[in-house]
Amino acid sequence: ETGVTQTPRHLVMGMTNKKSLKCEQHLGHNAMYWYKQSAKKPLELMFVYSLEERVENNSVPSRFSPECPNSSHLFLHLHTLQPEDSALYLCASSQDFAGGYYGYTFGSGTRLTVV
Amino acid sequence: DAKTTQPNSMESNEEEPVHLPCNHSTISGTDYIHWYRQLPSQGPEYVIHGLTSNVNNRMASLAIAEDRKSSTLILHRATLRDAAVYYCILKNSGSARQLTFGSGTQLTVLP
């Protein structure tokens, strides 16, 4: 366990389904992130939250909807996904979202398959 | 953004030291050098980071060139569990830009 817990670990969903990915950290970190890792591609940053406010959204389609109800929890709501959205979705947290000094702690990810 | 260049893959023998290189010729004075690794089916794991001086921790050592245009991650005795993709990343202390991952180096450890 890294201190960042993601559930579920695996998810298979149809293109018309609605599902949510959950991320939880109790490290006292103030920033949380969603990354997407497609097969044989580098990690792509999707969303950044600092103190529960979204500070960055990297042109992610609206079928992905993040939610950060408090500094310990982060959700990614999914609806009407496409097969090309199948990927490993990773959550991370850090002490602060700015600055080079702090490292990130990643969860183990949710392996999503869209059928 | 300053970019990094790493070899696509490297091999090492078990229990031998491994030196993973990274070039970052356009690094700025406020860029920290971060190293992460990603084991199969897991999220990336922080390994080490530094600014100017060499750094040591329980996982590895980071050797930074005097001109900061390159760095080397050193695993002192590779084990089979060190087989992973290793990422060298620059993160600027003066901006809110986030960790940007490249393709990294796939390290294979041979028994």
Side-chain angles (χ1 to χ4, degrees):
Chain A
E1 280 298 328
T2 65
V4 176
T5 303
Q6 289 187 245
T7 54
R9 288 297 306 273
H10 300 272
L11 178 62
V12 179
M13 62 185 287
M15 289 189 283
T16 58
N17 290 159
K18 288 185 181 181
K19 295 286 185 183
S20 296
L21 309 185
K22 180 182 176 182
C23 176
E24 186 173 354
Q25 61 91 7
H26 294 289
L27 300 170
H29 289 172
N30 294 319
M32 296 186 77
Y33 314 83
W34 280 116
Y35 280 85
K36 174 185 178 183
Q37 187 172 33
S38 302
K40 300 190 179 180
K41 285 188 177 180
L43 277 76
E44 302 170 56
L45 179 64
M46 299 175 73
F47 300 104
V48 180
Y49 276 83
S50 174
L51 296 171
E52 302 150 45
E53 284 192 31
R54 190 189 311 179
V55 297
E56 191 163 330
N57 172 359
N58 284 353
S59 302
V60 179
S62 60
R63 57 186 183 270
F64 295 92
S65 174
E67 178 190 2
C68 188
N70 56 62
S71 60
S72 299
H73 294 87
L74 185 64
F75 295 89
L76 188 62
H77 303 300
L78 316 170
H79 64 96
T80 59
L81 294 192
Q82 305 298 312
E84 58 264 29
D85 296 323
S86 298
L88 180 68
Y89 288 85
L90 290 156
C91 174
S93 70
S94 67
Q95 182 68 35
D96 199 327
F97 82 106
Y101 186 78
Y102 298 110
Y104 286 26
T105 302
F106 283 82
S108 298
T110 294
R111 174 70 62 188
L112 174 67
T113 304
V114 181
V115 296
Chain B
D1 282 336
K3 293 188 176 178
T4 63
T5 305
Q6 300 177 253
N8 289 333
S9 62
M10 290 184 63
E11 278 188 358
S12 172
N13 293 319
E14 196 176 9
E15 298 189 5
E16 290 187 358
V18 182
H19 291 235
L20 296 162
C22 181
N23 288 320
H24 28 78
S25 58
T26 59
I27 191 171
S28 76
T30 52
D31 283 335
Y32 280 81
I33 303 161
H34 284 242
W35 282 83
Y36 285 75
R37 71 179 185 181
Q38 188 172 19
L39 281 65
S41 302
Q42 294 189 29
E45 173 187 27
Y46 167 82
V47 177
I48 200 166
H49 76 282
L51 185 62
T52 57
S53 304
N54 294 344
V55 185
N56 299 297
N57 66 22
R58 63 175 181 82
M59 289 181 70
S61 296
L62 176 60
I64 301 172
E66 198 168 330
D67 63 6
R68 300 208 330 124
K69 293 186 176 182
S70 66
S71 61
T72 303
L73 180 71
I74 303 165
L75 307 180
H76 296 286
R77 287 184 70 222
T79 70
L80 296 177
R81 288 175 293 183
D82 291 321
V85 179
Y86 286 78
Y87 299 99
C88 170
I89 303 168
L90 301 183
K91 189 164 189 303
N92 193 285
S93 64
S95 79
R97 294 200 68 86
Q98 309 312 316
L99 279 181
T100 302
F101 286 78
S103 301
T105 297
Q106 173 70 62
L107 176 66
T108 301
V109 180
L110 304 173

